[in-house]
PDB file of all heavy atoms in Angstrom:
ATOM      1  N   LYS V 162     -16.276  33.879  -0.619  1.00 90.00           N
ATOM      2  CA  LYS V 162     -14.849  33.567  -0.587  1.00 90.00           C
ATOM      3  C   LYS V 162     -14.619  32.081  -0.238  1.00 90.00           C
ATOM      4  O   LYS V 162     -15.425  31.462   0.478  1.00 90.00           O
ATOM      5  CB  LYS V 162     -14.111  34.341   0.552  1.00 90.00           C
ATOM      6  CG  LYS V 162     -13.840  35.817   0.286  1.00 90.00           C
ATOM      7  CD  LYS V 162     -12.742  36.155  -0.701  1.00 90.00           C
ATOM      8  CE  LYS V 162     -11.443  35.475  -0.745  1.00 90.00           C
ATOM      9  NZ  LYS V 162     -10.888  35.356  -2.060  1.00 90.00           N
ATOM     10  N   LYS V 176     -17.436   3.861  24.708  1.00 87.00           N
ATOM     11  CA  LYS V 176     -18.653   3.181  25.170  1.00 87.00           C
ATOM     12  C   LYS V 176     -18.227   1.894  25.932  1.00 87.00           C
ATOM     13  O   LYS V 176     -17.294   1.216  25.439  1.00 87.00           O
ATOM     14  CB  LYS V 176     -19.500   2.758  23.960  1.00 87.00           C
ATOM     15  CG  LYS V 176     -20.232   3.918  23.281  1.00 87.00           C
ATOM     16  CD  LYS V 176     -21.160   3.414  22.195  1.00 87.00           C
ATOM     17  CE  LYS V 176     -21.612   4.549  21.319  1.00 87.00           C
ATOM     18  NZ  LYS V 176     -21.920   4.167  19.984  1.00 87.00           N
ATOM     19  N   GLN V 264      -3.537   3.983   4.671  1.00 96.00           N
ATOM     20  CA  GLN V 264      -2.489   4.591   3.813  1.00 96.00           C
ATOM     21  C   GLN V 264      -2.931   4.560   2.374  1.00 96.00           C
ATOM     22  O   GLN V 264      -3.995   4.074   2.046  1.00 96.00           O
ATOM     23  CB  GLN V 264      -1.161   3.832   4.071  1.00 96.00           C
ATOM     24  CG  GLN V 264      -1.080   2.421   3.452  1.00 96.00           C
ATOM     25  CD  GLN V 264       0.361   2.035   3.142  1.00 96.00           C
ATOM     26  OE1 GLN V 264       1.049   1.584   4.012  1.00 96.00           O
ATOM     27  NE2 GLN V 264       0.775   2.238   1.869  1.00 96.00           N
ATOM     28  N   ILE V 495      11.469  -6.483   0.863  1.00 98.00           N
ATOM     29  CA  ILE V 495      11.256  -6.030   2.213  1.00 98.00           C
ATOM     30  C   ILE V 495      12.004  -6.981   3.193  1.00 98.00           C
ATOM     31  O   ILE V 495      12.681  -6.535   4.127  1.00 98.00           O
ATOM     32  CB  ILE V 495       9.738  -5.981   2.573  1.00 98.00           C
ATOM     33  CG1 ILE V 495       9.031  -4.984   1.711  1.00 98.00           C
ATOM     34  CG2 ILE V 495       9.547  -5.737   4.086  1.00 98.00           C
ATOM     35  CD1 ILE V 495       9.287  -3.537   2.010  1.00 98.00           C
ATOM     36  N   LEU V 497      14.570  -8.904   2.682  1.00 98.00           N
ATOM     37  CA  LEU V 497      15.999  -8.768   2.601  1.00 98.00           C
ATOM     38  C   LEU V 497      16.475  -7.522   3.388  1.00 98.00           C
ATOM     39  O   LEU V 497      17.517  -7.585   4.100  1.00 98.00           O
ATOM     40  CB  LEU V 497      16.489  -8.763   1.154  1.00 98.00           C
ATOM     41  CG  LEU V 497      17.983  -8.833   0.899  1.00 98.00           C
ATOM     42  CD1 LEU V 497      18.594 -10.068   1.547  1.00 98.00           C
ATOM     43  CD2 LEU V 497      18.309  -8.815  -0.598  1.00 98.00           C
ATOM     44  N   ARG V 525       3.516 -25.394   0.254  1.00 91.00           N
ATOM     45  CA  ARG V 525       2.912 -25.659  -1.076  1.00 91.00           C
ATOM     46  C   ARG V 525       2.075 -24.479  -1.437  1.00 91.00           C
ATOM     47  O   ARG V 525       1.107 -24.152  -0.722  1.00 91.00           O
ATOM     48  CB  ARG V 525       2.039 -26.924  -1.056  1.00 91.00           C
ATOM     49  CG  ARG V 525       2.868 -28.186  -1.030  1.00 91.00           C
ATOM     50  CD  ARG V 525       1.960 -29.415  -1.260  1.00 91.00           C
ATOM     51  NE  ARG V 525       1.866 -29.736  -2.700  1.00 91.00           N
ATOM     52  CZ  ARG V 525       0.828 -30.362  -3.225  1.00 91.00           C
ATOM     53  NH1 ARG V 525      -0.181 -30.657  -2.493  1.00 91.00           N
ATOM     54  NH2 ARG V 525       0.833 -30.675  -4.471  1.00 91.00           N
TER      55      ARG V 525
END
Side-chain angles (χ1 to χ4, degrees):
K162 283 289 316 147
K176 286 186 194 152
Q264 72 155 85
I495 296 289
L497 189 57
R525 285 191 90 207

